[in-house]
Amino acid sequence: MAALELTEIVKTFEERSVVSDVSLSVSDGEFVAILGPSGCGKSTLLRIIAGLEHATSGRISLGGRDTTWLHPKDRDIAMVFQNYALYPHLSIFENIAFPLRIAGAAKREVGEAVQRVAALVGIAHLLGRKPRQLSGGERQRAALARALIRKPALFLLDEPLSNLDAKLRQSAREELKLLQKKTGLTALYVTHDQVEAMGLGDRIVVMNAGVIRQVGTPEEIYRYPADTFVATFIGTPPMNIVESPDALVGFRPETVQVGGPLGPDTTVFPVEIQRTEYLGNVQLIYASILGPFEPERVIAAVPVKGAIAVAEGERTEFVVPTEELRFFDKGTRLALTKALSHSVSLPRRSSEASHV
Ligand SMILES: Nc1ncnc2c1ncn2[C@@H]1O[C@H](COP(=O)(O)OP(=O)(O)OP(=O)(O)O)[C@@H](O)[C@H]1O
Ligand SMILES: [Mg+2]
């Protein structure tokens, strides 16, 4: 049975559509990341699931139970907000203990549970303090601990690591992943950080402008984006998209061989080098593409150990294995099926042909 089932959820604010026709099924024990740009409706969707906001239409079921009209406290959900809300006048201990206190748990049980979750997120030494005596990252952990103290049917986490610096974020991410493995929690995790979504999510939901663009494993989303939005939202630098006479053609920067060699089935994009960037692990090579494609900027990402010297203004070729090309419809910008992709004519060249 699905832990969470959303059916055609719609939310409009003053006739402006913020969530459009969202359907999603989350399995028990699954960790699903919701990824999308600012303002695309991620928090609104989470608030609807939690019952803090009512959907304009659509249905929500949790563990097979229709919860569409249930009061938030009857939904068996724990939520960590984007702006974590700790009670300023309560100690960290009492903040974390709060959900158990209102559930009327015994004193001893509360004490043990607080110690356990505080240790889990690494704040056991801070329990006597007030929220204002904690750093932003420590407060975020306290909010996480408060959500983890019960084992609800579903966790909703809205950018719970957004206030941590890059290093703490990385370790918190590892903790969260371990925690999920240990406790088997089912979670929806909102972020606009693609690395976080890729690292944490069993599956990723990519949203834009209130619409789900794609649901898939990190690999599916990266390798087979459903449309040009997903293709260019995921990946740094993003997928190159160029216009050929009959379709949009996409290729990831790291699939490019600059100046060859030609493989058994490769596609060749004539380019003029603009500039290069050294990023430590990779070298980025920016180029403008030449006919028969629309003149657009494309990027190659070359591992630094294979770094190559190219001069500004130099004309060369970006050679891409044909199986790495992705094709999108010019009008709808949706990915073309394999069969349709084969009908797109491109300047393919193979190593055999080049000897002729
Ligand atoms: N109560 C409200 N009344 C009117 N518009 C709202 C309300 N709440 C949210 N919105 C609008 O709905 C859209 C989606 O907001 P939401 O908070 O869900 O975005 P988000 O994806 O969480 O963005 P972020 O990544 O910045 O947190 C935004 O355009 C926002 O301005
Ligand atoms: Mg938000």
Side-chain angles (χ1 to χ4, degrees):
M1 192 200 323
L4 170 71
E5 190 90 48
L6 302 178
T7 313
E8 293 165 10
I9 301 286
V10 170
K11 178 70 182 176
T12 55
F13 285 118
E14 292 133 21
E15 293 177 21
R16 203 168 60 88
S17 171
V18 169
V19 173
S20 308
D21 199 17
V22 164
S23 296
L24 179 69
S25 176
V26 177
S27 312
D28 219 13
E30 203 181 11
F31 200 106
V32 174
I34 301 182
L35 179 67
S38 186
C40 75
K42 305 181 295 293
S43 295
T44 304
L45 185 61
L46 246 55
R47 291 173 55 79
I48 290 170
I49 298 168
L52 302 171
E53 201 86 68
H54 273 304
T56 309
S57 64
R59 306 216 67 78
I60 305 167
S61 106
L62 268 167
R65 189 169 62 127
D66 189 326
T67 59
T68 313
W69 297 104
L70 228 52
H71 192 273
K73 74 169 171 36
D74 299 325
R75 294 192 183 203
D76 198 15
I77 283 175
M79 182 157 176
V80 178
F81 293 93
Q82 193 164 6
N83 300 309
Y84 44 84
L86 295 173
Y87 301 108
H89 58 288
L90 294 182
S91 68
I92 297 302
F93 182 99
E94 285 304 329
N95 263 286
I96 297 174
F98 196 79
L100 291 186
R101 294 257 193 253
I102 53 173
K107 199 171 168 190
R108 176 140 164 254
E109 186 196 333
V110 173
E112 283 171 6
V114 171
Q115 291 296 341
R116 180 176 51 82
V117 290
L120 216 55
V121 300
I123 54 165
H125 57 298
L126 301 173
L127 294 174
R129 295 201 199 163
K130 293 277 171 62
R132 70 183 142 76
Q133 297 168 309
L134 264 52
S135 76
E138 289 164 347
R139 273 181 238 166
Q140 222 155 22
R141 286 151 177 256
L144 203 56
R146 184 175 57 186
L148 292 169
I149 199 158
R150 292 182 305 132
K151 197 182 176 216
L154 180 66
F155 282 98
L156 301 175
L157 304 162
D158 195 351
E159 310 229 17
L161 310 181
S162 58
N163 289 318
L164 306 189
D165 64 38
K167 205 168 158 197
L168 253 180
R169 222 178 146 106
Q170 171 75 28
S171 61
R173 202 160 81 205
E174 279 161 26
E175 271 167 33
L176 213 57
K177 192 79 199 174
L178 276 176
L179 206 69
Q180 192 224 355
K181 285 238 160 66
K182 260 194 264 178
T183 61
L185 53 88
T186 309
L188 272 183
Y189 183 100
V190 163
T191 177
H192 57 243
D193 179 336
Q194 49 164 300
V195 177
E196 208 162 277
M198 301 279 281
L200 278 174
D202 296 318
R203 281 189 303 155
I204 298 178
V205 175
V206 184
M207 278 182 79
N208 186 35
V211 177
I212 292 185
R213 295 303 190 96
Q214 189 170 4
V215 181
T217 64
E219 192 183 349
E220 283 163 356
I221 299 261
Y222 190 81
R223 290 188 45 86
Y224 303 101
D227 61 19
T228 57
F229 172 81
V230 178
T232 52
F233 191 69
I234 311 273
T236 319
M239 183 180 272
N240 295 301
I241 308 273
V242 300
E243 205 173 325
S244 79
D246 31 45
L248 298 172
V249 184
F251 54 94
R252 294 255 172 227
E254 65 274 17
T255 63
V256 174
Q257 301 261 25
V258 181
L262 296 176
D265 188 7
T266 44
T267 297
V268 173
F269 299 90
V271 295
E272 182 176 310
I273 303 294
Q274 292 172 335
R275 65 191 174 86
T276 67
E277 248 172 38
Y278 170 80
L279 295 183
N281 56 342
V282 290
Q283 178 189 17
L284 298 185
I285 300 173
Y286 293 78
S288 53
I289 199 152
L290 308 170
F293 305 95
E294 287 294 306
E296 266 185 88
R297 196 191 64 174
V298 283
I299 305 175
V302 183
V304 155
K305 61 176 165 39
I308 42 171
V310 281
E312 203 177 298
E314 186 181 324
R315 290 200 167 189
T316 179
E317 289 172 334
F318 276 12
V319 178
V320 181
T322 301
E323 60 173 22
E324 298 289 351
L325 298 184
R326 302 292 177 260
F327 299 92
F328 304 93
D329 184 89
K330 270 186 175 176
T332 63
R333 306 185 78 84
L334 295 174
L336 295 181
T337 59
K338 263 216 168 88
L340 273 173
S341 300
H342 284 304
S343 66
V344 178
S345 61
L346 284 177
R348 282 168 210 196
R349 281 219 317 254
S350 70
S351 43
E352 287 93 60
S354 67
H355 291 302
V356 178

PDB file of all heavy atoms in Angstrom, residues 206-236:
ATOM      1  N   VAL A 206      10.562  16.566 -10.019  1.00  0.00           N
ATOM      2  CA  VAL A 206      10.982  17.887 -10.490  1.00  0.00           C
ATOM      3  C   VAL A 206       9.739  18.710 -10.801  1.00  0.00           C
ATOM      4  O   VAL A 206       8.886  18.293 -11.584  1.00  0.00           O
ATOM      5  CB  VAL A 206      11.874  17.806 -11.746  1.00  0.00           C
ATOM      6  CG1 VAL A 206      12.374  19.191 -12.134  1.00  0.00           C
ATOM      7  CG2 VAL A 206      13.046  16.872 -11.511  1.00  0.00           C
ATOM      8  N   MET A 207       9.629  19.856 -10.143  1.00  0.00           N
ATOM      9  CA  MET A 207       8.463  20.736 -10.340  1.00  0.00           C
ATOM     10  C   MET A 207       8.892  22.037 -10.993  1.00  0.00           C
ATOM     11  O   MET A 207       9.990  22.520 -10.781  1.00  0.00           O
ATOM     12  CB  MET A 207       7.830  21.095  -8.992  1.00  0.00           C
ATOM     13  CG  MET A 207       6.894  20.056  -8.434  1.00  0.00           C
ATOM     14  SD  MET A 207       6.165  20.629  -6.876  1.00  0.00           S
ATOM     15  CE  MET A 207       4.877  21.735  -7.457  1.00  0.00           C
ATOM     16  N   ASN A 208       7.983  22.581 -11.786  1.00  0.00           N
ATOM     17  CA  ASN A 208       8.183  23.947 -12.265  1.00  0.00           C
ATOM     18  C   ASN A 208       6.816  24.580 -12.438  1.00  0.00           C
ATOM     19  O   ASN A 208       5.904  23.957 -12.969  1.00  0.00           O
ATOM     20  CB  ASN A 208       8.939  23.964 -13.594  1.00  0.00           C
ATOM     21  CG  ASN A 208       9.282  25.375 -14.026  1.00  0.00           C
ATOM     22  OD1 ASN A 208       9.567  26.237 -13.191  1.00  0.00           O
ATOM     23  ND2 ASN A 208       9.242  25.628 -15.312  1.00  0.00           N
ATOM     24  N   ALA A 209       6.668  25.803 -11.953  1.00  0.00           N
ATOM     25  CA  ALA A 209       5.413  26.545 -12.085  1.00  0.00           C
ATOM     26  C   ALA A 209       4.200  25.703 -11.689  1.00  0.00           C
ATOM     27  O   ALA A 209       3.193  25.691 -12.390  1.00  0.00           O
ATOM     28  CB  ALA A 209       5.269  27.084 -13.513  1.00  0.00           C
ATOM     29  N   GLY A 210       4.304  25.004 -10.559  1.00  0.00           N
ATOM     30  CA  GLY A 210       3.154  24.282 -10.024  1.00  0.00           C
ATOM     31  C   GLY A 210       2.872  22.943 -10.673  1.00  0.00           C
ATOM     32  O   GLY A 210       1.928  22.253 -10.302  1.00  0.00           O
ATOM     33  N   VAL A 211       3.705  22.571 -11.659  1.00  0.00           N
ATOM     34  CA  VAL A 211       3.451  21.340 -12.409  1.00  0.00           C
ATOM     35  C   VAL A 211       4.601  20.357 -12.183  1.00  0.00           C
ATOM     36  O   VAL A 211       5.760  20.765 -12.164  1.00  0.00           O
ATOM     37  CB  VAL A 211       3.352  21.657 -13.924  1.00  0.00           C
ATOM     38  CG1 VAL A 211       3.172  20.393 -14.749  1.00  0.00           C
ATOM     39  CG2 VAL A 211       2.212  22.627 -14.178  1.00  0.00           C
ATOM     40  N   ILE A 212       4.270  19.067 -12.019  1.00  0.00           N
ATOM     41  CA  ILE A 212       5.321  18.052 -11.966  1.00  0.00           C
ATOM     42  C   ILE A 212       5.805  17.796 -13.383  1.00  0.00           C
ATOM     43  O   ILE A 212       5.030  17.425 -14.253  1.00  0.00           O
ATOM     44  CB  ILE A 212       4.811  16.733 -11.344  1.00  0.00           C
ATOM     45  CG1 ILE A 212       4.512  16.941  -9.852  1.00  0.00           C
ATOM     46  CG2 ILE A 212       5.845  15.616 -11.518  1.00  0.00           C
ATOM     47  CD1 ILE A 212       4.112  15.673  -9.114  1.00  0.00           C
ATOM     48  N   ARG A 213       7.117  18.011 -13.603  1.00  0.00           N
ATOM     49  CA  ARG A 213       7.670  17.794 -14.941  1.00  0.00           C
ATOM     50  C   ARG A 213       8.162  16.367 -15.102  1.00  0.00           C
ATOM     51  O   ARG A 213       8.144  15.816 -16.195  1.00  0.00           O
ATOM     52  CB  ARG A 213       8.823  18.755 -15.195  1.00  0.00           C
ATOM     53  CG  ARG A 213       8.426  20.204 -15.238  1.00  0.00           C
ATOM     54  CD  ARG A 213       7.365  20.432 -16.296  1.00  0.00           C
ATOM     55  NE  ARG A 213       7.147  21.849 -16.515  1.00  0.00           N
ATOM     56  CZ  ARG A 213       7.738  22.547 -17.476  1.00  0.00           C
ATOM     57  NH1 ARG A 213       8.534  21.959 -18.323  1.00  0.00           N
ATOM     58  NH2 ARG A 213       7.507  23.818 -17.600  1.00  0.00           N
ATOM     59  N   GLN A 214       8.669  15.792 -14.014  1.00  0.00           N
ATOM     60  CA  GLN A 214       9.180  14.426 -14.099  1.00  0.00           C
ATOM     61  C   GLN A 214       9.315  13.829 -12.707  1.00  0.00           C
ATOM     62  O   GLN A 214       9.635  14.531 -11.750  1.00  0.00           O
ATOM     63  CB  GLN A 214      10.551  14.410 -14.794  1.00  0.00           C
ATOM     64  CG  GLN A 214      11.046  13.006 -15.122  1.00  0.00           C
ATOM     65  CD  GLN A 214      12.279  13.000 -16.015  1.00  0.00           C
ATOM     66  OE1 GLN A 214      12.834  14.056 -16.341  1.00  0.00           O
ATOM     67  NE2 GLN A 214      12.710  11.812 -16.411  1.00  0.00           N
ATOM     68  N   VAL A 215       9.075  12.524 -12.613  1.00  0.00           N
ATOM     69  CA  VAL A 215       9.321  11.780 -11.388  1.00  0.00           C
ATOM     70  C   VAL A 215      10.214  10.610 -11.767  1.00  0.00           C
ATOM     71  O   VAL A 215       9.910   9.887 -12.716  1.00  0.00           O
ATOM     72  CB  VAL A 215       8.007  11.231 -10.788  1.00  0.00           C
ATOM     73  CG1 VAL A 215       8.288  10.469  -9.496  1.00  0.00           C
ATOM     74  CG2 VAL A 215       7.014  12.355 -10.520  1.00  0.00           C
ATOM     75  N   GLY A 216      11.331  10.442 -11.076  1.00  0.00           N
ATOM     76  CA  GLY A 216      12.197   9.319 -11.418  1.00  0.00           C
ATOM     77  C   GLY A 216      13.358   9.205 -10.458  1.00  0.00           C
ATOM     78  O   GLY A 216      13.545  10.052  -9.575  1.00  0.00           O
ATOM     79  N   THR A 217      14.158   8.159 -10.616  1.00  0.00           N
ATOM     80  CA  THR A 217      15.365   8.019  -9.805  1.00  0.00           C
ATOM     81  C   THR A 217      16.341   9.120 -10.251  1.00  0.00           C
ATOM     82  O   THR A 217      16.204   9.655 -11.357  1.00  0.00           O
ATOM     83  CB  THR A 217      16.032   6.650 -10.037  1.00  0.00           C
ATOM     84  OG1 THR A 217      16.453   6.597 -11.416  1.00  0.00           O
ATOM     85  CG2 THR A 217      15.095   5.495  -9.748  1.00  0.00           C
ATOM     86  N   PRO A 218      17.328   9.437  -9.397  1.00  0.00           N
ATOM     87  CA  PRO A 218      18.295  10.463  -9.808  1.00  0.00           C
ATOM     88  C   PRO A 218      18.895  10.156 -11.177  1.00  0.00           C
ATOM     89  O   PRO A 218      19.063  11.049 -11.998  1.00  0.00           O
ATOM     90  CB  PRO A 218      19.349  10.401  -8.695  1.00  0.00           C
ATOM     91  CG  PRO A 218      18.583   9.960  -7.488  1.00  0.00           C
ATOM     92  CD  PRO A 218      17.557   8.994  -8.005  1.00  0.00           C
ATOM     93  N   GLU A 219      19.193   8.891 -11.430  1.00  0.00           N
ATOM     94  CA  GLU A 219      19.809   8.537 -12.707  1.00  0.00           C
ATOM     95  C   GLU A 219      18.850   8.751 -13.889  1.00  0.00           C
ATOM     96  O   GLU A 219      19.242   9.274 -14.934  1.00  0.00           O
ATOM     97  CB  GLU A 219      20.307   7.094 -12.681  1.00  0.00           C
ATOM     98  CG  GLU A 219      21.190   6.809 -13.883  1.00  0.00           C
ATOM     99  CD  GLU A 219      21.659   5.375 -13.961  1.00  0.00           C
ATOM    100  OE1 GLU A 219      21.475   4.628 -12.976  1.00  0.00           O
ATOM    101  OE2 GLU A 219      22.198   5.002 -15.015  1.00  0.00           O
ATOM    102  N   GLU A 220      17.593   8.351 -13.700  1.00  0.00           N
ATOM    103  CA  GLU A 220      16.616   8.551 -14.786  1.00  0.00           C
ATOM    104  C   GLU A 220      16.465  10.031 -15.122  1.00  0.00           C
ATOM    105  O   GLU A 220      16.428  10.424 -16.289  1.00  0.00           O
ATOM    106  CB  GLU A 220      15.245   7.988 -14.376  1.00  0.00           C
ATOM    107  CG  GLU A 220      15.153   6.487 -14.459  1.00  0.00           C
ATOM    108  CD  GLU A 220      13.959   5.919 -13.675  1.00  0.00           C
ATOM    109  OE1 GLU A 220      13.239   6.684 -12.993  1.00  0.00           O
ATOM    110  OE2 GLU A 220      13.763   4.707 -13.743  1.00  0.00           O
ATOM    111  N   ILE A 221      16.377  10.835 -14.059  1.00  0.00           N
ATOM    112  CA  ILE A 221      16.184  12.269 -14.256  1.00  0.00           C
ATOM    113  C   ILE A 221      17.389  12.880 -14.974  1.00  0.00           C
ATOM    114  O   ILE A 221      17.247  13.715 -15.850  1.00  0.00           O
ATOM    115  CB  ILE A 221      16.016  12.962 -12.874  1.00  0.00           C
ATOM    116  CG1 ILE A 221      14.791  12.408 -12.157  1.00  0.00           C
ATOM    117  CG2 ILE A 221      16.013  14.463 -12.987  1.00  0.00           C
ATOM    118  CD1 ILE A 221      13.567  13.223 -12.259  1.00  0.00           C
ATOM    119  N   TYR A 222      18.570  12.424 -14.591  1.00  0.00           N
ATOM    120  CA  TYR A 222      19.786  12.995 -15.172  1.00  0.00           C
ATOM    121  C   TYR A 222      20.007  12.504 -16.603  1.00  0.00           C
ATOM    122  O   TYR A 222      20.307  13.272 -17.496  1.00  0.00           O
ATOM    123  CB  TYR A 222      20.999  12.610 -14.309  1.00  0.00           C
ATOM    124  CG  TYR A 222      22.255  13.344 -14.692  1.00  0.00           C
ATOM    125  CD1 TYR A 222      22.490  14.630 -14.242  1.00  0.00           C
ATOM    126  CD2 TYR A 222      23.199  12.749 -15.525  1.00  0.00           C
ATOM    127  CE1 TYR A 222      23.640  15.326 -14.592  1.00  0.00           C
ATOM    128  CE2 TYR A 222      24.354  13.434 -15.881  1.00  0.00           C
ATOM    129  CZ  TYR A 222      24.569  14.721 -15.417  1.00  0.00           C
ATOM    130  OH  TYR A 222      25.700  15.397 -15.777  1.00  0.00           O
ATOM    131  N   ARG A 223      19.840  11.207 -16.787  1.00  0.00           N
ATOM    132  CA  ARG A 223      20.158  10.643 -18.105  1.00  0.00           C
ATOM    133  C   ARG A 223      19.030  10.775 -19.119  1.00  0.00           C
ATOM    134  O   ARG A 223      19.282  10.918 -20.303  1.00  0.00           O
ATOM    135  CB  ARG A 223      20.578   9.169 -17.969  1.00  0.00           C
ATOM    136  CG  ARG A 223      21.938   9.029 -17.306  1.00  0.00           C
ATOM    137  CD  ARG A 223      22.470   7.615 -17.315  1.00  0.00           C
ATOM    138  NE  ARG A 223      22.352   6.897 -18.577  1.00  0.00           N
ATOM    139  CZ  ARG A 223      23.241   6.957 -19.566  1.00  0.00           C
ATOM    140  NH1 ARG A 223      24.289   7.723 -19.445  1.00  0.00           N
ATOM    141  NH2 ARG A 223      23.068   6.256 -20.642  1.00  0.00           N
ATOM    142  N   TYR A 224      17.803  10.704 -18.625  1.00  0.00           N
ATOM    143  CA  TYR A 224      16.675  10.762 -19.558  1.00  0.00           C
ATOM    144  C   TYR A 224      15.666  11.823 -19.134  1.00  0.00           C
ATOM    145  O   TYR A 224      14.550  11.499 -18.738  1.00  0.00           O
ATOM    146  CB  TYR A 224      16.003   9.381 -19.665  1.00  0.00           C
ATOM    147  CG  TYR A 224      16.978   8.320 -20.105  1.00  0.00           C
ATOM    148  CD1 TYR A 224      17.555   7.444 -19.183  1.00  0.00           C
ATOM    149  CD2 TYR A 224      17.364   8.235 -21.439  1.00  0.00           C
ATOM    150  CE1 TYR A 224      18.485   6.490 -19.577  1.00  0.00           C
ATOM    151  CE2 TYR A 224      18.295   7.295 -21.845  1.00  0.00           C
ATOM    152  CZ  TYR A 224      18.851   6.425 -20.913  1.00  0.00           C
ATOM    153  OH  TYR A 224      19.778   5.501 -21.315  1.00  0.00           O
ATOM    154  N   PRO A 225      16.055  13.090 -19.195  1.00  0.00           N
ATOM    155  CA  PRO A 225      15.122  14.153 -18.799  1.00  0.00           C
ATOM    156  C   PRO A 225      13.882  14.150 -19.692  1.00  0.00           C
ATOM    157  O   PRO A 225      13.987  13.932 -20.902  1.00  0.00           O
ATOM    158  CB  PRO A 225      15.941  15.430 -18.964  1.00  0.00           C
ATOM    159  CG  PRO A 225      17.090  15.075 -19.846  1.00  0.00           C
ATOM    160  CD  PRO A 225      17.360  13.619 -19.641  1.00  0.00           C
ATOM    161  N   ALA A 226      12.729  14.390 -19.066  1.00  0.00           N
ATOM    162  CA  ALA A 226      11.462  14.305 -19.789  1.00  0.00           C
ATOM    163  C   ALA A 226      11.232  15.502 -20.696  1.00  0.00           C
ATOM    164  O   ALA A 226      10.451  15.439 -21.633  1.00  0.00           O
ATOM    165  CB  ALA A 226      10.302  14.173 -18.804  1.00  0.00           C
ATOM    166  N   ASP A 227      11.881  16.608 -20.399  1.00  0.00           N
ATOM    167  CA  ASP A 227      11.726  17.797 -21.243  1.00  0.00           C
ATOM    168  C   ASP A 227      12.950  18.703 -21.083  1.00  0.00           C
ATOM    169  O   ASP A 227      13.857  18.401 -20.298  1.00  0.00           O
ATOM    170  CB  ASP A 227      10.415  18.545 -20.918  1.00  0.00           C
ATOM    171  CG  ASP A 227      10.360  19.038 -19.478  1.00  0.00           C
ATOM    172  OD1 ASP A 227      11.424  19.131 -18.829  1.00  0.00           O
ATOM    173  OD2 ASP A 227       9.258  19.342 -19.004  1.00  0.00           O
ATOM    174  N   THR A 228      12.953  19.798 -21.815  1.00  0.00           N
ATOM    175  CA  THR A 228      14.145  20.654 -21.784  1.00  0.00           C
ATOM    176  C   THR A 228      14.275  21.386 -20.444  1.00  0.00           C
ATOM    177  O   THR A 228      15.372  21.755 -20.051  1.00  0.00           O
ATOM    178  CB  THR A 228      14.144  21.695 -22.924  1.00  0.00           C
ATOM    179  OG1 THR A 228      12.959  22.476 -22.816  1.00  0.00           O
ATOM    180  CG2 THR A 228      14.204  21.032 -24.281  1.00  0.00           C
ATOM    181  N   PHE A 229      13.154  21.574 -19.733  1.00  0.00           N
ATOM    182  CA  PHE A 229      13.276  22.212 -18.413  1.00  0.00           C
ATOM    183  C   PHE A 229      14.103  21.324 -17.488  1.00  0.00           C
ATOM    184  O   PHE A 229      15.069  21.779 -16.870  1.00  0.00           O
ATOM    185  CB  PHE A 229      11.894  22.485 -17.785  1.00  0.00           C
ATOM    186  CG  PHE A 229      12.024  22.964 -16.369  1.00  0.00           C
ATOM    187  CD1 PHE A 229      12.323  24.293 -16.107  1.00  0.00           C
ATOM    188  CD2 PHE A 229      11.925  22.084 -15.298  1.00  0.00           C
ATOM    189  CE1 PHE A 229      12.510  24.736 -14.809  1.00  0.00           C
ATOM    190  CE2 PHE A 229      12.118  22.512 -13.998  1.00  0.00           C
ATOM    191  CZ  PHE A 229      12.407  23.847 -13.754  1.00  0.00           C
ATOM    192  N   VAL A 230      13.744  20.052 -17.402  1.00  0.00           N
ATOM    193  CA  VAL A 230      14.471  19.124 -16.521  1.00  0.00           C
ATOM    194  C   VAL A 230      15.921  19.000 -17.008  1.00  0.00           C
ATOM    195  O   VAL A 230      16.865  19.008 -16.215  1.00  0.00           O
ATOM    196  CB  VAL A 230      13.782  17.745 -16.485  1.00  0.00           C
ATOM    197  CG1 VAL A 230      14.569  16.772 -15.614  1.00  0.00           C
ATOM    198  CG2 VAL A 230      12.351  17.879 -15.962  1.00  0.00           C
ATOM    199  N   ALA A 231      16.097  18.926 -18.316  1.00  0.00           N
ATOM    200  CA  ALA A 231      17.442  18.762 -18.885  1.00  0.00           C
ATOM    201  C   ALA A 231      18.370  19.897 -18.484  1.00  0.00           C
ATOM    202  O   ALA A 231      19.547  19.690 -18.223  1.00  0.00           O
ATOM    203  CB  ALA A 231      17.345  18.689 -20.411  1.00  0.00           C
ATOM    204  N   THR A 232      17.819  21.109 -18.419  1.00  0.00           N
ATOM    205  CA  THR A 232      18.686  22.252 -18.136  1.00  0.00           C
ATOM    206  C   THR A 232      18.649  22.657 -16.662  1.00  0.00           C
ATOM    207  O   THR A 232      19.483  23.418 -16.217  1.00  0.00           O
ATOM    208  CB  THR A 232      18.294  23.473 -19.009  1.00  0.00           C
ATOM    209  OG1 THR A 232      16.898  23.707 -18.866  1.00  0.00           O
ATOM    210  CG2 THR A 232      18.623  23.226 -20.462  1.00  0.00           C
ATOM    211  N   PHE A 233      17.674  22.116 -15.903  1.00  0.00           N
ATOM    212  CA  PHE A 233      17.627  22.430 -14.464  1.00  0.00           C
ATOM    213  C   PHE A 233      18.589  21.532 -13.693  1.00  0.00           C
ATOM    214  O   PHE A 233      19.165  21.932 -12.691  1.00  0.00           O
ATOM    215  CB  PHE A 233      16.196  22.258 -13.936  1.00  0.00           C
ATOM    216  CG  PHE A 233      16.010  22.799 -12.547  1.00  0.00           C
ATOM    217  CD1 PHE A 233      16.051  24.169 -12.311  1.00  0.00           C
ATOM    218  CD2 PHE A 233      15.818  21.944 -11.479  1.00  0.00           C
ATOM    219  CE1 PHE A 233      15.898  24.673 -11.028  1.00  0.00           C
ATOM    220  CE2 PHE A 233      15.664  22.440 -10.190  1.00  0.00           C
ATOM    221  CZ  PHE A 233      15.707  23.807  -9.969  1.00  0.00           C
ATOM    222  N   ILE A 234      18.778  20.302 -14.165  1.00  0.00           N
ATOM    223  CA  ILE A 234      19.649  19.332 -13.500  1.00  0.00           C
ATOM    224  C   ILE A 234      21.002  19.290 -14.195  1.00  0.00           C
ATOM    225  O   ILE A 234      21.064  19.188 -15.412  1.00  0.00           O
ATOM    226  CB  ILE A 234      19.022  17.916 -13.558  1.00  0.00           C
ATOM    227  CG1 ILE A 234      17.570  17.941 -13.108  1.00  0.00           C
ATOM    228  CG2 ILE A 234      19.859  16.910 -12.803  1.00  0.00           C
ATOM    229  CD1 ILE A 234      17.350  17.807 -11.659  1.00  0.00           C
ATOM    230  N   GLY A 235      22.051  19.312 -13.379  1.00  0.00           N
ATOM    231  CA  GLY A 235      23.396  19.230 -13.956  1.00  0.00           C
ATOM    232  C   GLY A 235      24.075  20.587 -13.950  1.00  0.00           C
ATOM    233  O   GLY A 235      23.451  21.594 -14.273  1.00  0.00           O
ATOM    234  N   THR A 236      25.354  20.602 -13.515  1.00  0.00           N
ATOM    235  CA  THR A 236      26.126  21.841 -13.503  1.00  0.00           C
ATOM    236  C   THR A 236      27.447  21.609 -14.226  1.00  0.00           C
ATOM    237  O   THR A 236      28.243  20.812 -13.736  1.00  0.00           O
ATOM    238  CB  THR A 236      26.446  22.279 -12.056  1.00  0.00           C
ATOM    239  OG1 THR A 236      25.298  22.059 -11.267  1.00  0.00           O
ATOM    240  CG2 THR A 236      26.874  23.716 -11.995  1.00  0.00           C
TER     241      THR A 236
END
